[in-house]
Amino acid sequence: MRSTSWIRGLPSRLRGRASRPPQGRPRTRPLLEELEERSLLALGALDPTFNGLGLGGTPGQQTVAFLGTNNSVDVRGMALQPNGKVVVAGTFTFNNGGQDFAVARFTGNGTLDPTFGIGGRVAIDVRGNGSNDHASAVALQPDGKIVVAGSTTVGTGNNDFAIVRLNLDGSLDPSFGVNGVQTVPFNVGPSGSQDDRATAVAIQPDGGIVLGGLAQVNAAGTYDFAVARLAPDGSLDSSFNGGGKQIVSFNLGRGGSATNEDRARAVAIQSDGKIVLAGWANIGTAANTYAFAVARLTPTGILDTTFNASGEQAISFGSVGMDQANALAIQGDGKIVVAGTSVVNSSGNHDFAVARLKTDGTLDAGFNSTGKQTVPFDVPGSSLNDLGNAVTVEADGSILLAGSADTVLGGATAFAVARLTTTGALDAAFNGGGQQGVVFQQNGNAVANAIAEQANGKILVVGTETMPTGTTQMALARLQGPPTVSTAGRFDPATGTWSFRNTNTAGTSDIASFAFGRAGWAPIAGDWNGDGTFTVGIFDPSTATFYLRNSNTAGSPDYTPFRFGSPGWIPLAGDWDGDGKWSIGVFDPSTGTWYLRNEISPGAPDAGNFPYGGANWKPVVGDWDGNGTTTVGVFDPSGNWYLKNSNFSGPPDVGPFQFGAATAAPIAGDWNGDGVSTVGTFDTSGQWNLRNSNSAGGVDIPVFPFGQGTFRPVTGDWNFSTAPQLVLAAAPPSGSPALLSTGQLNAVVTAALTRLREAGVSSAVLATLASVTVEIRDLPAGYLGMSALHGNRILIDDDGAGYGWFVDSTPLRDEEYAGGRAAGGPAAGRADLLTTVLHEMGHIAGLADDNNDGLMGTYLPLGTRRTDALDAIFADGRAG
């Protein structure tokens, strides 16, 4: 982020971190300030690996003109491809005033993708006749094809819904509509007053396309919500309201001949196929008075009367009556988060506004006690216009909001991002106060219109920046997600077996031990696919062949085995180019020469060959300066460390310094989650010795044993994510249920282990589960249980998320349940403790949550038991 007067004037909760001065520039800060740069990778900080690291841009930010120097683009939507590439869509305006759909694709490091369209960009004239076309949203179908939705002009002043579908290379898909294009008129207004515009799009699991927007319904300018559903080929889906279209009116406005405006701005599809729309509707009798408006339709296209009894809900935030919802997201537990803007006082000041609804459409009192929250970005001297345009729910349930905030008096704006906890409070861990602002240029205007969490937990925000010339360009920023923490792992070269700890303490493996590779092979570990989790790799030193997996389980390589280097060389793994994905390298111990590759494939080195270190010195790699790239280091035969901040020959940037015994194996990792790799050793007795700074001194983490001296150490974040948790699929009632006792919990834990033993789970897994610490805690609202990722520990809520536990007196039998459901008796209406304990034991055994209704499903309905197919669920740990 560039240093501006606005940043210096911000309260600390919104202030970003200024970038380092370039080399040769006089320092304007005390040297001690450099130590604070270690927090570069803190949650919410700008990500230096995005458009930085020699790419010529401002790290963490990217701005790109769409086409030409005098043309403009207004970016409205974003979709993330599984390979990490980012698709953005909006409207391209020529300098003569004509408008087309605009679609661009960026690589994972923030540069335009040359394999998409022309130089990463595609402009689409929807009707091919110079019509004015406005794109508002983009989504991906299951096969990866790109769907862009908006509107196209018809005659003078009229518009139709417009949808285009692109192939992965950016070309129009001729199998969709007519040569890749489809238009949908609603024709509900009189002739000459048919203004129908799609503003949102969502994709069903079968590839069906749901469009939300608005339709003009009379000549006076009244608008209603408009919804259309298309089959995957672009034709209207006749099973949806009989013809593929539906109109939803809120009828909350002024009545009579007055104009009402009900406008849908967002659409989402629930896991049960129901369709949720959000926008705003006129309320009361005064002009320009609005409330958040939310509607839910059944999969057949009619209003769902189980939602607030009518299928509709209106939400007002205050007495001013100017509340407009622009975005929505569905939480994993089915709750609905709606975000936008509220005018909060008579002076016309705006704040971000967000509401959360329960699955029945009523406000969720577990969110800020009222179900509603407003978020100001109070910049001193500004007019306080904070406009919320986008929302997403992260994997841990945190809520991310994005839009714009005034930066100085006069209306200059910046990207504004806020992170709320699951209870609606600003998250103090996010940039030191729950908010972050991103300035692209001083006195400019930048507006964020979409936000998403990437697979690795990083936060991507896109929108539009207005340049001094008045034209606009695409703007993107990426913020750091939750920090990763490196912990101990080991490889037994005698058996080819891997084991891992999720904390840097002594104990048994936190992930079920498994075999991958052969005796005598050399281990490596890295985040090969960029999802934030480190997984295993193996190197056959006799053939210089790499074998890599994307999960920490036994099985075949996920990448085609390939050769790189020569027999007898030492394998390496690191993110050499800062793109968020790790790749491989080798070190020739006879010459001290390094060879590094940026792809997981054979080929010439991308960095090297260069010498660093001496013959028979030991290589070590890490991110020594916290800038997001992995660089080299060496450990000499005297126990001295020499670390470099670049992958070139030259003197060390850190060191030499001494730490550890010369006979130990050098290791490196981010032991405390501050974004900087620091040194450690694995000694000949199997002890781990870790230091939190790259300097001489004692250990910062108590020495602990994990493995034997003959084992090979590996380090990484083996289970990057928030704590796996089982969430109750209902809201708690009033009243105080009985609290769970330790004796009750211990009895059910014993029964769970017995069930797993009878199912054929291996003795090794059972031993791990038997050593788990199970504790009773008052967990956050709605949570039944959690398994701590950085410890062999399970937490169980004290009162079953407010409903009370069903503690089975005969837990080895399921007579209270028929087909997994309690028909009556004490099990009905309560959370099943046995299912909860088994679910969390699954996490300890290395199983992930899924979206199914089996044991590892994230959400547990009341009165439900899930003990079927334990043998299949725990198949990786079964005997034999």
Side-chain angles (χ1 to χ4, degrees):
M1 182 180 295
R2 298 171 186 165
S3 178
T4 70
S5 59
W6 172 62
I7 297 174
R8 290 195 295 271
L10 284 180
S12 60
R13 67 181 180 187
L14 186 56
R15 188 179 303 124
R17 180 175 299 278
S19 59
R20 288 185 179 181
Q23 292 183 353
R25 176 179 170 182
R27 295 184 180 273
T28 58
R29 297 178 293 172
L31 181 61
L32 182 62
E33 188 76 16
E34 288 298 319
L35 296 178
E36 297 184 5
E37 294 294 345
R38 287 191 172 184
S39 63
L40 268 173
L41 301 187
L43 176 62
L46 280 167
D47 175 13
T49 69
F50 185 77
N51 197 37
L53 306 174
L55 295 175
T58 302
Q61 304 173 205
Q62 173 68 290
T63 54
V64 179
F66 190 73
L67 291 173
T69 57
N70 295 316
N71 302 320
S72 291
V73 64
D74 180 17
V75 174
R76 292 285 170 169
M78 166 176 51
L80 302 181
Q81 294 186 172
N83 61 3
K85 293 183 179 181
V86 181
V87 180
V88 301
T91 302
F92 172 49
T93 301
F94 300 88
N95 53 18
N96 62 6
Q99 295 173 315
D100 283 348
F101 278 18
V103 187
R105 189 165 70 196
F106 292 83
T107 64
N109 63 12
T111 60
L112 281 167
D113 178 11
T115 68
F116 183 82
I118 301 174
R121 293 162 283 202
V122 175
I124 305 152
D125 183 355
V126 171
R127 294 188 183 271
N129 60 358
S131 59
N132 283 338
D133 308 320
H134 295 259
S136 299
V138 61
L140 302 179
Q141 290 190 289
D143 60 1
K145 291 184 178 180
I146 300 164
V147 176
V148 185
S151 62
T152 182
T153 56
V154 186
T156 303
N158 293 343
N159 290 279
D160 287 342
F161 278 23
I163 313 95
V164 302
R165 188 164 74 189
L166 306 179
N167 296 311
L168 292 179
D169 63 359
S171 60
L172 283 166
D173 176 13
S175 68
F176 179 83
V178 179
N179 295 321
V181 175
Q182 179 65 285
T183 59
V184 179
F186 276 75
N187 296 326
V188 291
S191 177
S193 300
Q194 296 175 6
D195 184 13
D196 309 327
R197 285 172 275 161
T199 57
V201 62
I203 307 297
Q204 297 181 160
D206 65 356
I209 301 166
V210 178
L211 304 163
L214 56 126
Q216 186 176 354
V217 297
N218 62 32
T222 293
Y223 289 87
D224 285 338
F225 281 21
V227 194
R229 188 165 72 194
L230 308 181
D233 65 359
S235 60
L236 283 165
D237 181 356
S238 61
S239 69
F240 184 79
N241 197 39
K245 297 182 282 189
Q246 176 65 286
I247 297 292
V248 179
S249 177
F250 277 77
N251 295 319
L252 302 173
R254 293 178 285 159
S257 61
T259 300
N260 292 314
E261 289 195 44
D262 303 342
R263 299 186 176 219
R265 295 294 304 273
V267 64
I269 301 171
Q270 295 185 170
S271 59
D272 59 4
K274 292 181 179 180
I275 298 165
V276 182
L277 301 155
W280 64 83
N282 272 120
I283 57 173
T285 58
N288 299 319
T289 55
Y290 307 102
F292 277 23
V294 186
R296 190 167 73 190
L297 306 180
T298 68
T300 60
I302 62 174
L303 281 168
D304 175 16
T305 56
T306 69
F307 183 82
N308 199 39
S310 64
E312 299 177 339
Q313 173 66 284
I315 307 161
S316 293
F317 284 80
S319 59
V320 178
M322 292 186 67
D323 308 319
Q324 297 181 334
N326 294 314
L328 73 89
I330 308 295
Q331 292 188 168
D333 59 1
K335 292 181 180 179
I336 300 166
V337 179
V338 187
T341 301
S342 176
V343 176
V344 294
N345 56 38
S346 58
S347 298
N349 293 336
H350 297 70
D351 284 345
F352 281 22
V354 60
R356 189 167 72 192
L357 305 179
K358 295 185 289 187
T359 56
D360 64 2
T362 59
L363 285 164
D364 177 14
F367 183 79
N368 195 39
S369 76
T370 62
K372 300 181 286 186
Q373 175 70 288
T374 55
V375 181
F377 284 74
D378 293 335
V379 181
S382 79
S383 58
L384 303 176
N385 284 321
D386 308 328
L387 306 179
N389 297 325
V391 65
T392 192
V393 178
E394 294 187 277
D396 66 353
S398 299
I399 297 169
L400 290 170
L401 308 170
S404 64
D406 281 346
T407 62
V408 293
L409 188 64
T413 62
F415 277 17
V417 181
R419 190 179 199 242
L420 306 182
T421 66
T422 57
T423 60
L426 281 168
D427 182 0
F430 182 82
N431 197 42
Q435 299 179 334
Q436 174 66 288
V438 182
V439 175
F440 287 87
Q441 58 182 330
Q442 191 170 2
N443 299 323
N445 286 284
V447 177
N449 289 316
I451 187 168
E453 181 186 28
Q454 295 183 296
N456 58 8
K458 295 185 179 183
I459 301 161
L460 193 63
V461 191
V462 304
T464 304
E465 180 205 15
T466 302
M467 297 179 288
T469 60
T471 58
T472 58
Q473 56 187 355
M474 299 178 284
L476 301 87
R478 190 164 72 188
L479 309 179
Q480 285 295 334
T484 62
V485 177
S486 302
T487 54
R490 68 191 188 197
F491 175 76
D492 181 353
T495 63
T497 302
W498 300 75
S499 303
F500 303 100
R501 292 285 294 159
N502 284 330
T503 57
N504 286 314
T505 58
T508 58
S509 179
D510 288 312
I511 298 173
S513 297
F514 62 94
F516 179 66
R518 296 179 181 176
W521 290 14
I524 56 172
D527 182 6
W528 315 120
N529 60 5
D531 67 355
T533 299
F534 278 59
T535 52
V536 297
I538 201 78
F539 179 76
D540 178 357
S542 66
T543 62
T545 302
F546 284 87
Y547 303 81
L548 309 179
R549 270 188 69 72
N550 281 330
S551 62
N552 289 317
T553 57
S556 301
D558 291 303
Y559 302 86
T560 302
F562 62 94
R563 294 186 178 187
F564 184 71
S566 295
W569 290 8
I570 298 173
L572 308 165
D575 184 1
W576 319 118
D577 58 358
D579 67 351
K581 296 182 180 181
W582 284 49
S583 50
I584 53 89
V586 288
F587 175 78
D588 178 356
S590 66
T591 63
T593 305
W594 300 72
Y595 305 83
L596 309 179
R597 184 149 174 77
N598 289 333
E599 302 294 333
I600 299 176
S601 63
D606 295 294
N609 54 0
F610 65 93
Y612 186 67
N616 298 315
W617 288 19
K618 299 174 183 177
V620 63
V621 298
D623 184 0
W624 315 118
D625 59 359
N627 74 346
T629 58
T630 308
T631 51
V632 300
V634 286
F635 183 69
D636 76 10
S638 300
N640 289 305
W641 299 76
Y642 306 77
L643 310 179
K644 278 197 66 65
N645 289 330
S646 61
N647 289 316
F648 300 100
S649 297
D653 295 298
V654 182
F657 63 90
Q658 192 161 29
F659 175 73
T663 56
I667 54 176
D670 183 2
W671 319 121
N672 59 4
D674 68 353
V676 174
S677 299
T678 51
V679 298
T681 62
F682 178 76
D683 66 27
T684 55
S685 63
Q687 300 278 351
W688 293 72
N689 309 270
L690 308 180
R691 186 152 172 76
N692 284 332
S693 63
N694 289 315
S695 60
V699 298
D700 292 304
I701 297 171
V703 176
F704 62 94
F706 185 62
Q708 301 175 12
T710 57
F711 288 8
R712 301 287 296 275
V714 287
T715 64
D717 192 338
W718 315 115
N719 213 343
F720 173 80
S721 69
T722 57
Q725 52 208 9
L726 184 61
V727 182
L728 188 69
S734 58
S736 299
L739 298 180
L740 181 65
S741 72
T742 301
Q744 290 173 318
L745 178 58
N746 289 342
V748 172
V749 168
T750 299
L753 291 170
T754 300
R755 286 211 178 215
L756 293 173
R757 185 178 300 108
E758 293 175 347
V761 174
S762 72
S763 58
V765 172
L766 287 171
T768 297
L769 297 179
S771 69
V772 170
T773 300
V774 184
E775 304 173 14
I776 299 172
R777 293 288 184 88
D778 182 12
L779 298 180
Y783 295 132
L784 295 174
M786 294 183 176
S787 52
L789 295 183
H790 296 292
N792 202 30
R793 196 166 50 132
I794 290 174
L795 309 179
I796 300 294
D797 188 59
D798 57 355
D799 63 359
Y803 273 95
W805 290 107
F806 173 61
V807 183
D808 197 346
S809 60
T810 57
L812 299 181
R813 302 195 305 270
D814 298 328
E815 68 271 17
E816 299 88 355
Y817 300 86
R821 294 288 298 168
R830 293 186 182 178
D832 183 42
L833 181 60
L834 177 63
T835 299
T836 302
V837 169
L838 285 166
H839 176 98
E840 301 305 337
M841 284 182 169
H843 285 308
I844 298 297
L847 303 177
D849 281 328
D850 56 45
N851 294 319
N852 301 319
D853 57 3
L855 179 66
M856 297 314 295
T858 306
Y859 307 100
L860 179 66
L862 294 170
T864 300
R865 174 164 288 183
R866 294 170 173 170
T867 55
D868 291 339
L870 292 178
D871 54 346
I873 292 169
F874 283 80
D876 288 341
R878 294 184 65 203

